[in-house]
Amino acid sequence: MPETHPRVIVVGGGLAGLAACVRIAEAGTPVDLFSMVPVKRSHSVCAQGGINACNDVARQQGYSEWQHMDETLIGGDFLNHQPPVYEMAHFAPKIINLLDRMGVPFNRTSEGMRDLRLFGGSLFKRTHFAGASTGQQLLYALDEQTRRYEAQGKVNKYEFWEFLWPVTDEEGRCKGIIAQDMRTMEMKAFRADAVVMASGGNGLIYGKSTMSVICNGAAAARCYQAGADLGNPEMIQVHPTAIPGEDKCRLMSESARGEGGRVWVPRQQNDDRHPLDIPEEERNYFLEEKYPGYGNLVPRDIATREIFWVCQEGYGVGGENQVYLDITHLPQATKNKLAAILEIYEKFTGDDPREVPMKIFPAVHYTMGGLYTTYAPYDPETDTITPASAPKREPNQGMAFGDPKNMMTNVSGLYAFGESNYAYHGATRLGANALLSCIFDGLFNGLSVANHAQQSGAGAHGTPAAELPQSLYDKFLKQEQDKLAKITASTGSQDPYTIHRELGVEMTAAATVVKEEGRMLQAREKLAELRERYTDLKISDTGHYTNQNVSFARALGDMLVYADALLEASLARKESRGSHYRSDYPERMDEEFHNTSRVAFNAESGRPDITWEPIPSPLVPLRARTYGKTDVVEDKKTQEQEAAAS
Amino acid sequence: MIAPNPSEKTFLVRIKRQDAESQPAYWQEFEVPVKPAQNIISVLQYIAANPTTTSGEDVEPVVWDSGCLEEVCGACTMVVDGQVRQSCSCLANEQLAKTGKDHIELEPMTKFPVVRDLFVDRQRMFDNLKKVKAWVPIDGTHDLGPGPKETPEQQEERYAYSRCMTCGCCLEACPQFTKDNTFVGAQAIAQALYFNQHETGKKLKGERLDELSGPGGVADCGNSQNCVKVCPKEIPLTQAIAKVGRQLTVHAVKNFFSAK
C-alpha cells in the first residue's frame, strides 16, 4: 500500500468520481479510485439527453446564468441550497468548454458551433448534447483524462472493488475505508486523508428502475450507518418516460420530447385502433393542453403525475399503464439525432419508434436526496480569486472556492459528490442538470478535498492517515470480516433475491408518484417484516471466490436501511413539494416544511431520527410553482382527483 | 436483481461454468419459465434466485457481469449460441425462434481470462487504451475557452467511434486476436484513429502510430472483417483500420526522411 501523505480516496468512477480524480490529481494529490465496475462502465453512460449551460445564443435571447439558477431552484421547488446552485449555474459554461477541449463530440451547427436543444423546465435552448448518448461521451472524456493521470502514476485504480465502510479516527474524522476485491474476496483497509463518496443513486431499492444494477445505494447507506446523515431521502425522481421491462425499466430520454416528441392518449377509452389510424382530433395531447407554455417539457414530476393520472382514469393505451410518446411526425434529420435512444427502444421491444408511437410509463430514475453535505457560502471579504480589477460578487453568490467545507458530510473528511449528495436538485431535478452537477462537484469541489487532505495532520486537523496506528484500521477490518462471515454462514430460509423483489414491489407501490399515509404505514410494516426475514438468510453460495451471492445479500441489508429512512422521511413530510406528492397533503407548506429533512441513523434502535433544518433563501424568494398551468384545467383536475380519491 | 414468480411454459438454458481461471469448465442445464420480453439477464436473474439444475442438483448461482442493461456500458458481453453479443439486448424468445432450438447456450468470451462462469477479465482492453494514448492532451482543467470547431460531418464521423463501449465483441470475433499474443485489435486501433482525428488529439498522433507500427500493431490484422460484423454499435472498424494503415504509411515515409 502506498503510504504517502496526503492521499485521497474516491469511491465511484462515474462523472462525479472521475471529475474529482482529475481535479485532485491536478492539484498534486495522489488518488486511489475504487469502483465496483471498470469505471468506463459506470452508470453515467446511461445519461442520454445532454448537459445544461448558459451559452452565447441563449444569452442574446435574454437567458443568463442567473436564470439557469432560477430554473433549477423553482424546478427543485426551493428545497435546494441557493449558493451551491448559483455557483453551479455560473460555472456551467466553463465545464462545457472544458469538455469540448477534452474532445467530446458535441453535435455541431453548420458553422461548426456546438448545437443546442430544448429541455424540460426552460423556454430557452440551453442543453448541449452529443447525439442521444451524451452521458456516455462525457464519461468517456473524463475516463480518458483519468487514464492519462493513471499512466503518470497519479491515480491508482481499484476496479471490481466494493466499498464497505469508512474508517474514522477517535475524533470521528474519516481516515480511510475498508474495501473488498469482488473477484478474490480479499478485504483490506486503505488509508486516506479525505474520502469522496461518488457512489450514485439508489434505484435498486425500488427493484426495477432506470438505473444500472450497481446503483443500490449501499455505499451511501453504509456511510449513513457510520454516522453521516442523509438529506431529503424522500426526494426520488420518477422519470415520465421509460420502457417497462422484465429486468429493469429502460429510459426513454427527455430529448425525445425536447426534439419535438409529443405525449398523447386516445380520447376514447380502450380505443383499439392502430395509433396512426387515430385522427388528430381524437387524440388527447394532455400535457400540451394543460401547460400551453411548456407543453411536453414541463418538469419531470409534473409530467410523471399527469401520465400516472391519465392512466388511473382509464385512458392508458389499451387500458393499461402506458401512454404514447410519438416522434413519428419528426423529420428524418431529427430522428437521426435521436438514433441512439430509438435503437434502444427497437432492440428491447421489437417495434420501430420511427414508424409506430412508443409506449411508455414513468419509472424511478434519480435520487435527489442523499448524503447530507455542507458548504461555505461565498464571502467577498475572504475572496482571493477574483482579480482586483473585477467587481466582487455579493455575499452568498456561490461558494467559497477551495474551502474544505464544500460538499463535506457531517463526518469530517468524508465528502459526497454527484448523485450521492443532496445539495443541488431539491425536490425535482431538471433534465440535463445531473451531468452538470456531477462534473461540477468533481471540478469545483475537488480542490476543497485536496485542501482538506493537505491540511489534515496540521494542528487541530488530527494525525495524517499514514501515521495512524494499524490497530485503528484492523478494528474496522475485523468489523467487516465478521459481518461477511456471519452472512456467509447463514443457514436460514430466506432467499435474498426474493426479499429484494418484495422490497422493490412495496417501495414502488408506496413511495413513488403519489404517496399517502395509509399506504406508507402499510409499507412500514412490510419493511419491518423484511428486516426480520433478513436475519434468517439462505445463502446458496458459501464459497470464497467471486461470490456475488454474499455481496448482494450484504448490500440488501443496506438497501433495507436506506429504504427505511426514505419511507420515514416521506411519512414525516406532510406536504407536497416537487417529486414528493402526498395525496393527503396536496399543498406545499412552506412554513412547516421549507426545510431539509435531515436524517440521522440511530445506532441503538437501528432506525432513522429525523430533524428539520431550515433552508436559507439569500438570493431568490420562494414563489408558487405553476409552469403556466391553465386555471380552468387546474380546477377540473382538482375535481377529477377528488372524484378519483373518493 | 428481481426473482420472477414461477409460471407455466419453460425452456432450457445450458451454461458453461468454470469455478476459477485455473479450474476446468463444465456445463449445467437449467429450466426457466417463459416470460414476455425476457432477456438473457432476466433469465440469469431467475437462475440466481432458483439455482437448481434440471437434474435436481442445488448448485451455486451462476456468476456474470452486467451493468446498465441498456447496451451502453459493455459489461454483459458473452457468447450466446456461439455468437458474441451483449446479453441484455438478447431476447430469449427471439433467440429461440432464430435458432429453432428448445434451449439457449451461454458461454463466457474465449479471448479473455475467465474470472468465474460467464464473468471474464477484459483489463487488456483498458491497458491497450493506455498504450495508444487514447486521450486528448489538454493543458489542464482551467477555463481556457472552447475547444476546436469542427464541421457536422467531422462530428458525425468522430461520434461513431466515440460510441465504442469496450465490450470486446470485435476481439472475440477476430481470428488474429488470441489470449496470449500482443495484437491490440480493432477496438484500440479505432480509438487511436478517433483521437488522431481531433485537432488537439493529433498532437500525440506520432506516438500513437509508433505504438501501432510495431509487433501487435496494425500489421497483425488479417483482414477477416469479422470485427465490423459483430460490433453492436456498428462502428466502422475496418474503415478505421484502413485509415490508420494509411496514416502509418505516411508516418513511415516521414520518419524515413527525417532520419536522413
Side-chain angles (χ1 to χ4, degrees):
Chain A
M1 190 194 320
E3 305 248 328
T4 55
H5 172 76
R7 289 194 81 80
V8 168
I9 282 175
V10 173
V11 177
L15 285 173
L18 293 183
C21 280
V22 168
R23 188 66 188 87
I24 296 166
E26 187 178 66
T29 307
V31 181
D32 295 313
L33 170 60
F34 290 78
S35 170
M36 289 167 72
V37 294
V39 293
K40 204 176 172 181
R41 308 200 193 286
S42 300
H43 179 62
S44 303
V45 292
C46 289
Q48 298 170 345
I51 175 167
N52 292 332
C54 182
N55 55 80
D56 291 343
V57 178
R59 201 186 300 283
Q60 290 167 58
Q61 295 166 339
Y63 194 67
S64 64
E65 284 89 347
W66 180 274
Q67 195 161 344
H68 182 186
M69 170 193 73
D70 189 67
E71 286 167 355
T72 305
L73 293 173
I74 194 162
D77 226 346
F78 296 99
L79 208 59
N80 12 24
H81 278 266
Q82 299 189 355
V85 175
Y86 178 100
E87 193 68 60
M88 177 174 80
H90 286 73
F91 199 78
K94 297 178 194 174
I95 290 178
I96 305 296
N97 278 343
L98 176 62
L99 294 166
D100 193 9
R101 284 170 47 224
M102 286 178 180
V104 171
F106 284 115
N107 276 55
R108 299 283 160 170
T109 64
S110 54
E111 198 183 327
M113 304 288 191
R114 295 178 302 232
D115 201 0
L116 298 158
R117 68 165 45 129
L118 200 55
F119 238 70
S122 185
L123 298 172
F124 293 89
K125 284 194 179 181
R126 47 118 164 91
T127 303
H128 304 70
F129 62 101
S133 61
T134 313
Q136 185 188 32
Q137 307 316 317
L138 303 194
L139 183 80
Y140 289 0
L142 290 168
D143 173 68
E144 289 144 14
Q145 295 299 323
T146 303
R147 187 166 292 107
R148 195 177 160 209
Y149 281 114
E150 192 191 6
Q152 295 167 13
K154 292 173 184 166
V155 171
N156 203 359
K157 278 186 194 155
Y158 292 85
E159 292 172 322
F160 294 117
W161 279 75
E162 182 176 0
F163 165 85
L164 299 181
W165 204 261
V167 172
T168 44
D169 68 11
E170 280 170 5
E171 282 81 40
R173 300 186 196 92
C174 184
K175 287 291 178 184
I177 66 167
I178 306 296
Q180 184 171 29
D181 185 326
M182 298 164 75
R183 295 159 299 185
T184 63
M185 304 306 273
E186 178 195 15
M187 209 186 276
K188 267 176 82 172
F190 295 86
R191 295 168 187 246
D193 299 288
V195 172
V196 180
M197 299 306 296
S199 51
N202 62 16
L204 238 67
I205 288 176
Y206 287 89
K208 289 190 236 179
S209 72
T210 65
M211 293 191 208
S212 296
V213 297
I214 44 178
C215 304
N216 55 27
R222 287 164 190 164
C223 293
Y224 163 63
Q225 291 166 84
D229 295 347
L230 298 175
N232 301 328
E234 70 277 22
M235 292 303 171
I236 296 292
Q237 177 162 86
V238 183
H239 194 287
T241 60
I243 316 160
E246 184 67 26
D247 53 336
K248 79 171 292 193
C249 300
R250 293 177 177 85
L251 178 64
M252 181 42 59
S253 167
E254 190 167 309
S255 57
R257 283 171 289 139
E259 296 289 351
R262 304 175 75 187
V263 174
W264 63 277
V265 289
R267 285 204 185 276
Q268 193 189 321
Q269 285 186 1
N270 298 311
D271 190 333
D272 57 4
R273 283 177 289 176
H274 187 277
L276 296 181
D277 293 336
I278 301 177
E280 198 70 12
E281 63 276 12
E282 289 178 45
R283 299 176 178 190
N284 180 7
Y285 294 96
F286 52 98
L287 290 174
E288 297 170 34
E289 272 183 27
K290 286 175 190 166
Y291 302 90
Y294 287 84
N296 292 292
L297 288 174
V298 284
R300 292 176 172 175
D301 57 306
I302 297 179
T304 291
R305 279 194 293 276
E306 296 292 353
I307 293 170
F308 184 78
W309 277 324
V310 102
C311 291
Q312 270 210 330
E313 288 159 11
Y315 288 93
V317 176
E320 288 183 42
N321 277 339
Q322 49 190 10
V323 301
Y324 287 126
L325 170 58
D326 196 347
I327 59 113
T328 56
H329 58 285
L330 296 177
Q332 193 54 44
T334 311
K335 288 176 183 166
N336 290 348
K337 271 200 251 181
L338 297 171
I341 55 171
L342 301 183
E343 277 165 21
I344 291 179
Y345 187 87
E346 193 171 3
K347 272 193 178 152
F348 288 94
T349 66
D351 293 332
D352 183 357
R354 298 165 194 84
E355 306 295 332
V356 191
M358 296 178 269
K359 290 180 203 157
I360 55 92
F361 194 69
V364 169
H365 179 57
Y366 191 85
T367 314
M368 273 88 64
L371 289 165
Y372 173 88
T373 45
T374 56
Y375 59 91
Y378 174 84
D379 177 358
E381 300 294 322
T382 56
D383 172 7
T384 53
I385 195 106
T386 307
S389 59
K392 295 204 189 255
R393 300 172 179 182
E394 297 294 316
N396 291 309
Q397 289 188 343
M399 294 190 279
F401 185 51
D403 191 299
K405 263 182 86 174
N406 293 338
M407 297 307 134
M408 192 191 278
T409 65
N410 56 303
V411 174
S412 174
L414 182 65
Y415 289 80
F417 282 9
E419 192 170 350
S420 61
N421 76 25
Y422 88 117
Y424 302 99
H425 305 297
T428 289
R429 175 176 68 73
L430 291 186
N433 258 356
L435 300 184
L436 176 60
S437 66
C438 289
I439 300 175
F440 170 73
D441 261 339
L443 288 181
F444 188 86
N445 298 317
L447 188 66
S448 299
V449 177
N451 286 344
H452 174 88
Q454 291 281 355
Q455 286 170 12
S456 83
H461 296 285
T463 313
E467 293 167 21
L468 284 168
Q470 185 58 36
S471 56
L472 173 75
Y473 293 91
D474 290 345
K475 183 182 80 178
F476 286 96
L477 185 60
K478 183 159 189 318
Q479 169 197 310
E480 289 306 309
Q481 283 166 339
D482 290 350
K483 194 192 286 177
L484 185 74
K486 194 173 159 225
I487 293 174
T488 312
S490 305
T491 52
S493 59
Q494 299 293 323
D495 170 51
Y497 302 107
T498 307
I499 296 181
H500 179 239
R501 176 163 57 81
E502 291 181 32
L503 170 69
V505 169
E506 188 65 16
M507 290 301 286
T508 304
T512 47
V513 184
V514 175
K515 301 174 186 171
E516 181 270 323
E517 186 161 285
R519 185 65 189 84
M520 286 196 283
L521 290 174
Q522 201 184 318
R524 180 192 270 171
E525 299 287 307
K526 180 71 185 183
L527 287 188
E529 177 211 312
L530 293 177
R531 284 197 297 274
E532 183 57 37
R533 283 164 57 190
Y534 181 75
T535 61
D536 184 39
L537 282 181
K538 175 180 77 182
I539 296 298
S540 41
D541 187 349
T542 54
H544 301 285
Y545 188 74
T546 324
N547 189 333
Q548 294 177 332
N549 196 225
V550 295
S551 295
F552 182 78
R554 176 173 52 198
L556 176 64
D558 301 302
M559 283 189 254
L560 287 168
V561 170
Y562 207 142
D564 190 24
L566 198 166
L567 187 73
E568 291 303 323
S570 297
L571 271 161
R573 187 178 285 283
K574 294 182 174 172
E575 65 156 353
S576 290
R577 185 183 295 272
S579 300
H580 173 78
Y581 182 83
R582 289 281 302 255
S583 56
D584 42 357
Y585 299 95
E587 299 299 320
R588 189 174 92 185
M589 319 271 262
D590 288 336
E591 210 147 290
E592 277 173 90
F593 291 111
H594 182 233
N595 293 314
T596 297
S597 61
R598 185 167 167 180
V599 186
F601 182 73
N602 185 324
E604 266 171 44
S605 65
R607 303 290 311 283
D609 287 338
I610 301 175
T611 50
W612 297 97
E613 197 174 84
I615 302 164
S617 303
L619 303 174
V620 181
L622 271 65
R623 63 182 192 274
R625 184 171 181 268
T626 62
Y627 288 96
K629 189 176 182 179
T630 50
D631 287 346
V632 185
V633 181
E634 173 102 62
D635 292 339
K636 188 164 159 260
K637 179 86 253 171
T638 314
Q639 285 163 13
E640 279 169 8
Q641 279 160 35
E642 278 164 8
S646 64
Chain B
M1 292 182 204
I2 310 296
N5 291 316
S7 73
E8 313 271 64
K9 244 181 113 190
T10 62
F11 63 98
L12 299 174
V13 181
R14 299 188 67 218
I15 300 176
K16 191 177 188 183
R17 307 196 56 174
Q18 197 171 338
D19 296 345
E21 208 207 339
S22 55
Q23 303 291 313
Y26 56 96
W27 288 86
Q28 279 177 350
E29 192 181 67
F30 301 87
E31 191 173 356
V32 178
V34 174
K35 288 265 202 171
Q38 173 184 35
N39 59 2
I40 298 297
I41 298 294
S42 323
V43 169
L44 289 168
Q45 287 175 345
Y46 176 84
I47 294 170
N50 304 277
T52 307
T53 64
T54 45
S55 46
E57 191 190 350
D58 288 335
V59 296
E60 287 168 348
V62 178
V63 171
W64 77 95
D65 196 3
S66 67
C68 72
L69 312 186
E70 295 181 5
E71 212 192 64
V72 273
C73 80
C76 69
T77 315
M78 57 184 75
V79 178
V80 182
D81 291 325
Q83 288 218 309
V84 68
R85 60 172 300 166
Q86 275 70 59
S87 51
C88 69
S89 56
C90 181
L91 302 179
N93 56 350
E94 284 182 8
Q95 186 64 22
L96 289 166
K98 199 168 89 182
T99 60
K101 294 182 181 160
D102 66 343
H103 68 275
I104 293 174
E105 270 183 14
L106 305 178
E107 293 171 77
M109 285 194 276
T110 60
K111 301 292 178 72
F112 303 96
V114 169
V115 176
R116 190 177 164 183
D117 296 339
L118 301 171
F119 180 6
V120 298
D121 181 356
R122 282 167 280 182
Q123 185 57 38
R124 180 172 166 189
M125 296 184 75
F126 297 109
D127 290 342
N128 284 342
L129 291 178
K130 221 181 279 176
K131 258 191 202 171
V132 300
K133 296 188 165 58
W135 53 73
V136 173
I138 58 164
D139 284 348
T141 64
H142 291 92
D143 182 23
L144 302 173
K149 273 192 184 181
E150 63 181 351
T151 65
E153 292 72 31
Q154 288 169 322
Q155 186 271 345
E156 228 162 81
E157 186 175 358
R158 289 206 313 121
Y159 180 65
Y161 295 121
S162 77
R163 293 182 70 197
C164 171
M165 52 188 183
T166 327
C167 68
C169 284
C170 57
L171 305 180
E172 178 69 19
C174 173
Q176 254 56 47
F177 184 94
T178 64
K179 234 178 191 175
D180 40 21
N181 71 1
T182 59
F183 183 39
V184 296
Q187 166 245 356
I189 297 170
Q191 289 301 297
L193 178 69
Y194 174 58
F195 289 97
N196 282 355
Q197 286 179 332
H198 185 265
E199 207 47 46
T200 319
K202 267 182 198 159
K203 304 283 187 295
L204 299 176
K205 188 173 172 181
E207 290 174 53
R208 287 190 197 106
L209 294 175
D210 285 342
E211 183 62 44
L212 292 175
S213 61
V218 175
D220 287 9
C221 168
N223 202 24
S224 77
Q225 314 216 356
N226 284 4
C227 52
V228 75
K229 288 177 209 146
V230 296
C231 177
K233 296 295 150 190
E234 296 171 1
I235 299 169
L237 293 167
T238 43
Q239 194 182 307
I241 296 171
K243 283 190 178 183
V244 173
R246 285 199 291 279
Q247 288 180 352
L248 277 170
T249 311
V250 176
H251 184 63
V253 172
K254 269 191 194 161
N255 279 354
F256 178 78
F257 284 109
S258 62
K260 293 276 164 184

